[in-house]
Coordinates of all heavy atoms in Angstrom, one line a residue:
M1 N 12.9 42.4 18.2 CA 13.8 41.3 17.8 C 13.8 40.1 18.8 O 13.8 39.0 18.3 CB 15.2 41.9 17.7 CG 16.2 40.9 17.1 SD 15.8 40.6 15.4 CE 17.1 39.6 14.9
P2 N 13.8 40.3 20.1 CA 13.7 39.1 21.0 C 12.4 38.3 20.8 O 12.4 37.1 21.0 CB 13.8 39.7 22.4 CG 14.4 41.1 22.2 CD 14.0 41.6 20.9
D3 N 11.3 39.0 20.5 CA 10.1 38.3 20.3 C 10.2 37.4 19.1 O 9.7 36.2 19.2 CB 8.9 39.3 20.1 CG 8.6 40.1 21.4 OD1 8.9 39.6 22.5 OD2 8.0 41.2 21.2
F4 N 10.8 37.8 18.1 CA 11.0 37.0 16.9 C 11.9 35.8 17.2 O 11.6 34.7 16.8 CB 11.7 37.9 15.8 CG 11.9 37.1 14.6 CD1 10.9 36.6 13.7 CD2 13.2 36.7 14.2 CE1 11.2 35.9 12.6 CE2 13.5 36.0 13.1 CZ 12.5 35.6 12.3
L5 N 12.9 36.0 18.0 CA 13.8 34.8 18.4 C 13.0 33.8 19.2 O 13.2 32.6 19.1 CB 15.0 35.3 19.1 CG 16.0 36.1 18.2 CD1 17.2 36.7 19.1 CD2 16.5 35.3 17.1
I6 N 12.2 34.3 20.1 CA 11.4 33.4 21.0 C 10.4 32.6 20.1 O 10.3 31.4 20.2 CB 10.6 34.2 22.0 CG1 11.6 34.7 23.1 CG2 9.6 33.3 22.7 CD1 11.0 35.7 24.1
L7 N 9.8 33.3 19.2 CA 8.9 32.6 18.2 C 9.6 31.6 17.4 O 9.1 30.5 17.1 CB 8.1 33.7 17.4 CG 7.1 33.1 16.4 CD1 5.9 32.6 17.2 CD2 6.6 34.3 15.5
L8 N 10.7 32.0 16.9 CA 11.5 31.1 16.0 C 12.0 29.9 16.8 O 11.9 28.7 16.4 CB 12.8 31.8 15.5 CG 13.7 31.0 14.5 CD1 12.9 30.7 13.3 CD2 14.9 31.8 14.2
A9 N 12.4 30.1 18.1 CA 12.8 28.9 18.9 C 11.6 28.0 19.2 O 11.8 26.8 19.2 CB 13.4 29.5 20.2
M10 N 10.4 28.6 19.4 CA 9.3 27.7 19.7 C 8.9 26.9 18.4 O 8.6 25.7 18.5 CB 8.1 28.6 20.0 CG 8.1 29.2 21.4 SD 6.8 30.4 21.9 CE 5.4 29.5 21.4
Y11 N 9.0 27.5 17.2 CA 8.7 26.7 16.0 C 9.8 25.6 15.8 O 9.4 24.5 15.4 CB 8.7 27.6 14.8 CG 7.4 28.3 14.6 CD1 7.2 29.7 14.7 CD2 6.3 27.5 14.2 CE1 6.0 30.3 14.5 CE2 5.0 28.1 14.0 CZ 4.9 29.5 14.2 OH 3.7 30.1 13.9
L12 N 11.0 25.9 16.1 CA 12.1 24.9 15.9 C 11.9 23.8 16.9 O 12.1 22.6 16.5 CB 13.5 25.6 16.1 CG 13.9 26.5 15.0 CD1 15.2 27.1 15.3 CD2 14.0 25.7 13.7
V13 N 11.5 24.0 18.1 CA 11.3 23.0 19.1 C 10.1 22.2 18.7 O 10.1 20.9 18.8 CB 11.1 23.6 20.5 CG1 10.6 22.6 21.5 CG2 12.5 24.2 21.0
A14 N 9.0 22.8 18.2 CA 7.8 22.1 17.8 C 8.2 21.2 16.6 O 7.7 20.0 16.5 CB 6.7 23.1 17.4
M15 N 9.0 21.7 15.7 CA 9.3 20.9 14.5 C 10.2 19.7 14.9 O 10.1 18.6 14.4 CB 10.0 21.7 13.5 CG 9.1 22.6 12.7 SD 9.9 23.8 11.6 CE 11.0 22.8 10.7
L16 N 11.1 19.9 15.9 CA 12.0 18.9 16.4 C 11.2 17.8 17.1 O 11.3 16.6 16.8 CB 13.0 19.4 17.3 CG 14.0 18.4 17.9 CD1 14.9 18.0 16.8 CD2 14.8 19.1 19.0
L17 N 10.2 18.2 17.9 CA 9.4 17.2 18.6 C 8.5 16.4 17.6 O 8.3 15.2 17.8 CB 8.6 17.9 19.7 CG 9.3 18.4 20.9 CD1 8.4 19.1 21.8 CD2 9.9 17.2 21.7
G18 N 7.9 17.1 16.7 CA 7.1 16.5 15.7 C 7.9 15.5 14.8 O 7.4 14.4 14.5
G19 N 9.1 15.9 14.5 CA 9.9 15.0 13.6 C 10.3 13.7 14.4 O 10.2 12.6 13.8
T20 N 10.7 13.9 15.6 CA 11.0 12.7 16.4 C 9.8 11.8 16.6 O 9.9 10.6 16.6 CB 11.7 13.0 17.7 OG1 10.8 13.9 18.5 CG2 13.0 13.7 17.5
G21 N 8.6 12.4 16.8 CA 7.4 11.6 17.0 C 7.1 10.8 15.7 O 6.7 9.6 15.8
L22 N 7.2 11.5 14.6 CA 6.9 10.8 13.3 C 7.9 9.7 13.1 O 7.6 8.6 12.6 CB 6.9 11.8 12.2 CG 5.7 12.6 12.0 CD1 5.9 13.7 10.9 CD2 4.5 11.7 11.7
Y23 N 9.2 9.9 13.4 CA 10.2 8.9 13.2 C 9.9 7.7 14.0 O 10.0 6.6 13.4 CB 11.6 9.5 13.6 CG 12.7 8.5 13.6 CD1 13.2 8.0 12.5 CD2 13.2 8.0 14.8 CE1 14.3 7.0 12.5 CE2 14.1 7.0 14.9 CZ 14.7 6.6 13.7 OH 15.7 5.6 13.7
F24 N 9.6 7.8 15.3 CA 9.3 6.6 16.1 C 8.0 6.0 15.7 O 7.9 4.8 15.7 CB 9.3 7.0 17.6 CG 10.7 7.2 18.1 CD1 11.1 8.5 18.6 CD2 11.6 6.2 18.2 CE1 12.4 8.7 19.1 CE2 12.9 6.4 18.6 CZ 13.3 7.6 19.1
L25 N 7.0 6.8 15.2 CA 5.8 6.2 14.8 C 6.0 5.3 13.5 O 5.5 4.2 13.4 CB 4.8 7.3 14.5 CG 3.4 6.8 14.1 CD1 2.7 6.1 15.3 CD2 2.5 8.0 13.7
L26 N 6.7 5.9 12.6 CA 7.0 5.1 11.3 C 7.9 3.9 11.6 O 7.7 2.9 11.0 CB 7.6 6.0 10.3 CG 6.7 7.1 9.8 CD1 7.4 8.0 8.8 CD2 5.5 6.5 9.0
K27 N 8.8 4.0 12.5 CA 9.7 2.9 12.8 C 8.9 1.8 13.5 O 9.1 0.6 13.2 CB 10.8 3.4 13.8 CG 11.9 2.4 14.1 CD 13.0 3.1 15.0 CE 14.0 2.0 15.4 NZ 15.0 2.6 16.3
K28 N 8.0 2.1 14.3 CA 7.1 1.1 15.0 C 6.2 0.4 14.0 O 6.0 -0.8 14.0 CB 6.3 1.8 16.1 CG 5.4 0.9 16.8 CD 4.6 1.7 17.9 CE 3.7 0.8 18.6 NZ 2.9 1.5 19.6
E29 N 5.7 1.2 13.0 CA 4.8 0.6 12.0 C 5.6 -0.4 11.1 O 5.0 -1.4 10.7 CB 4.2 1.7 11.2 CG 3.1 2.4 11.9 CD 1.9 1.6 12.2 OE1 1.5 0.7 11.3 OE2 1.3 1.7 13.3
Q30 N 6.8 -0.1 10.8 CA 7.6 -1.0 9.9 C 7.9 -2.3 10.6 O 7.9 -3.3 10.0 CB 8.9 -0.3 9.5 CG 8.7 0.8 8.5 CD 10.0 1.5 8.2 OE1 11.0 1.3 8.8 NE2 9.9 2.4 7.2
R31 N 8.1 -2.2 11.9 CA 8.4 -3.5 12.7 C 7.1 -4.3 12.8 O 7.2 -5.5 12.8 CB 8.9 -3.2 14.1 CG 10.3 -2.8 14.2 CD 10.7 -2.7 15.6 NE 10.0 -1.5 16.2 CZ 9.9 -1.3 17.4 NH1 10.4 -2.0 18.3 NH2 9.2 -0.2 17.8
K32 N 6.0 -3.7 12.8 CA 4.7 -4.4 13.1 C 4.2 -5.0 11.8 O 3.3 -5.9 11.8 CB 3.7 -3.4 13.6 CG 2.8 -4.0 14.6 CD 2.0 -3.0 15.4 CE 1.1 -2.2 14.7 NZ 0.2 -1.4 15.5
M33 N 4.6 -4.5 10.6 CA 4.0 -5.0 9.4 C 4.4 -6.5 9.1 O 5.5 -6.8 9.2 CB 4.5 -4.1 8.2 CG 4.0 -2.7 8.2 SD 4.5 -1.8 6.8 CE 3.7 -2.6 5.5
P34 N 3.4 -7.3 8.8 CA 3.6 -8.7 8.5 C 4.2 -8.8 7.1 O 4.2 -7.9 6.3 CB 2.3 -9.3 8.6 CG 1.3 -8.2 8.3 CD 1.9 -7.0 8.8
E35 N 4.7 -10.0 6.8 CA 5.2 -10.3 5.5 C 4.1 -10.2 4.5 O 3.0 -10.5 4.7 CB 5.8 -11.7 5.4 CG 7.0 -11.8 6.3 CD 7.6 -13.2 6.2 OE1 7.2 -14.0 5.3 OE2 8.5 -13.6 7.0
K36 N 4.5 -9.7 3.3 CA 3.5 -9.6 2.2 C 3.1 -11.0 1.7 O 3.9 -11.8 1.5 CB 4.0 -8.8 1.1 CG 4.2 -7.3 1.4 CD 4.7 -6.5 0.2 CE 4.8 -5.1 0.6 NZ 5.3 -4.3 -0.6
P37 N 1.8 -11.2 1.5 CA 1.4 -12.5 0.9 C 1.8 -12.6 -0.5 O 2.1 -11.6 -1.2 CB -0.1 -12.4 1.1 CG -0.5 -11.0 1.1 CD 0.7 -10.3 1.7
K38 N 1.8 -13.8 -1.0 CA 2.2 -14.1 -2.4 C 1.1 -13.5 -3.3 O -0.1 -13.6 -3.0 CB 2.3 -15.6 -2.7 CG 3.5 -16.2 -1.9 CD 3.5 -17.7 -2.2 CE 4.6 -18.4 -1.3 NZ 4.6 -19.8 -1.5
L39 N 1.5 -12.8 -4.3 CA 0.6 -12.1 -5.2 C -0.3 -13.1 -6.0 O -1.4 -12.8 -6.4 CB 1.3 -11.2 -6.1 CG 2.0 -10.0 -5.4 CD1 2.7 -9.1 -6.5 CD2 1.0 -9.2 -4.7
N40 N 0.3 -14.3 -6.3 CA -0.5 -15.2 -7.2 C -1.3 -16.2 -6.3 O -1.7 -17.3 -6.8 CB 0.4 -15.9 -8.1 CG 1.8 -16.3 -7.5 OD1 2.0 -15.9 -6.4 ND2 2.5 -17.1 -8.2
T41 N -1.6 -15.9 -5.1 CA -2.4 -16.8 -4.3 C -3.9 -16.4 -4.5 O -4.3 -15.2 -4.4 CB -2.1 -16.5 -2.8 OG1 -0.8 -16.8 -2.5 CG2 -3.0 -17.4 -1.9
I42 N -4.7 -17.4 -4.9 CA -6.1 -17.1 -5.3 C -6.9 -17.8 -4.2 O -6.8 -19.0 -4.0 CB -6.4 -17.6 -6.7 CG1 -5.5 -16.9 -7.7 CG2 -7.9 -17.5 -7.0 CD1 -5.7 -17.4 -9.1
V43 N -7.9 -17.1 -3.7 CA -8.8 -17.7 -2.7 C -10.2 -17.7 -3.4 O -10.7 -16.7 -3.8 CB -8.9 -16.8 -1.4 CG1 -9.9 -17.3 -0.4 CG2 -7.5 -16.7 -0.8
S44 N -10.7 -18.9 -3.4 CA -12.0 -19.0 -4.0 C -13.1 -18.8 -3.0 O -12.9 -18.8 -1.8 CB -12.2 -20.4 -4.6 OG -12.1 -21.4 -3.6
A45 N -14.4 -18.7 -3.5 CA -15.5 -18.5 -2.7 C -15.8 -19.7 -1.8 O -16.2 -19.5 -0.7 CB -16.7 -18.2 -3.5
E46 N -15.4 -20.9 -2.3 CA -15.6 -22.1 -1.5 C -14.7 -22.1 -0.2 O -15.1 -22.6 0.8 CB -15.4 -23.3 -2.3 CG -16.4 -23.6 -3.4 CD -15.9 -23.1 -4.7 OE1 -14.7 -22.7 -4.8 OE2 -16.7 -23.1 -5.6
D47 N -13.5 -21.5 -0.4 CA -12.6 -21.5 0.8 C -13.1 -20.5 1.9 O -12.8 -20.6 3.0 CB -11.2 -21.0 0.3 CG -10.6 -22.1 -0.6 OD1 -11.0 -23.3 -0.5 OD2 -9.7 -21.7 -1.3
M48 N -13.9 -19.5 1.5 CA -14.3 -18.5 2.4 C -15.6 -18.9 3.1 O -15.9 -18.3 4.2 CB -14.5 -17.1 1.7 CG -13.2 -16.5 1.2 SD -13.4 -14.9 0.6 CE -13.8 -15.3 -1.1
L49 N -16.4 -19.7 2.6 CA -17.7 -20.1 3.1 C -17.6 -21.4 3.8 O -17.2 -22.4 3.2 CB -18.8 -20.2 2.0 CG -19.0 -18.8 1.3 CD1 -19.9 -19.1 0.1 CD2 -19.6 -17.8 2.2
P50 N -17.9 -21.5 5.1 CA -17.9 -22.8 5.8 C -19.0 -23.7 5.4 O -20.1 -23.3 5.2 CB -18.1 -22.4 7.3 CG -18.8 -21.1 7.3 CD -18.4 -20.4 6.0
G51 N -18.6 -24.9 5.1 CA -19.6 -25.9 4.7 C -19.9 -26.0 3.2 O -20.5 -26.8 2.7
W52 N -19.3 -25.0 2.5 CA -19.5 -25.0 1.0 C -18.7 -26.0 0.4 O -17.5 -26.2 0.6 CB -19.1 -23.6 0.5 CG -19.4 -23.4 -0.9 CD1 -18.6 -23.7 -1.9 CD2 -20.6 -22.8 -1.5 NE1 -19.2 -23.3 -3.1 CE2 -20.4 -22.8 -2.9 CE3 -21.8 -22.3 -0.9 CZ2 -21.4 -22.3 -3.7 CZ3 -22.7 -21.8 -1.8 CH2 -22.5 -21.8 -3.2
G53 N -19.3 -26.8 -0.5 CA -18.5 -27.8 -1.3 C -18.5 -29.1 -0.6 O -17.8 -30.1 -1.1
K54 N -19.1 -29.3 0.5 CA -19.1 -30.7 1.2 C -19.9 -31.7 0.3 O -19.6 -32.8 0.3 CB -19.7 -30.6 2.6 CG -18.8 -29.9 3.6 CD -19.3 -29.9 5.0 CE -18.4 -29.3 5.9 NZ -18.9 -29.3 7.3
E55 N -20.9 -31.2 -0.3 CA -21.7 -32.1 -1.1 C -20.9 -32.7 -2.3 O -21.0 -33.9 -2.6 CB -23.0 -31.4 -1.7 CG -24.0 -30.9 -0.7 CD -23.6 -29.6 -0.2 OE1 -22.7 -28.9 -0.7 OE2 -24.2 -29.2 0.8
E56 N -20.1 -31.9 -2.9 CA -19.2 -32.3 -4.0 C -18.2 -33.3 -3.4 O -17.8 -34.3 -4.1 CB -18.5 -31.2 -4.7 CG -19.4 -30.3 -5.5 CD -20.1 -29.2 -4.7 OE1 -19.8 -29.1 -3.5 OE2 -21.0 -28.5 -5.2
E57 N -17.6 -33.1 -2.3 CA -16.6 -34.0 -1.7 C -17.3 -35.3 -1.4 O -16.7 -36.4 -1.6 CB -16.0 -33.4 -0.4 CG -15.1 -32.2 -0.7 CD -14.5 -31.7 0.6 OE1 -14.7 -32.3 1.7 OE2 -13.9 -30.6 0.6
E58 N -18.5 -35.3 -0.8 CA -19.2 -36.5 -0.5 C -19.6 -37.3 -1.7 O -19.6 -38.5 -1.7 CB -20.4 -36.2 0.4 CG -20.0 -35.7 1.8 CD -21.2 -35.3 2.6 OE1 -22.4 -35.4 2.0 OE2 -21.1 -34.9 3.7
A59 N -20.0 -36.6 -2.8 CA -20.4 -37.2 -4.0 C -19.2 -37.9 -4.7 O -19.3 -38.9 -5.4 CB -21.0 -36.2 -4.9
S60 N -18.0 -37.3 -4.6 CA -16.8 -37.9 -5.2 C -16.3 -39.1 -4.5 O -15.5 -39.9 -5.1 CB -15.7 -36.8 -5.4 OG -15.3 -36.5 -4.1
R61 N -16.7 -39.4 -3.3 CA -16.2 -40.5 -2.5 C -16.9 -41.8 -2.9 O -17.8 -42.0 -3.4 CB -16.4 -40.3 -1.0 CG -15.4 -39.3 -0.5 CD -15.6 -39.1 1.0 NE -14.8 -38.0 1.4 CZ -14.8 -37.5 2.7 NH1 -15.6 -38.1 3.5 NH2 -14.1 -36.5 3.0

């Protein structure tokens, strides 16, 4: 019976330490998360490539 109590105490301590670790880890991740971008923001291929579209800008001038 005492062996069972020691084993039970070890499991309870392990669960307690794991739970507090997960709590602080999730709390830290929530603080670090940036604001969500707007869902209707569209990025075109021209915006991602440097120098793309300069010919069209120069031709329109």
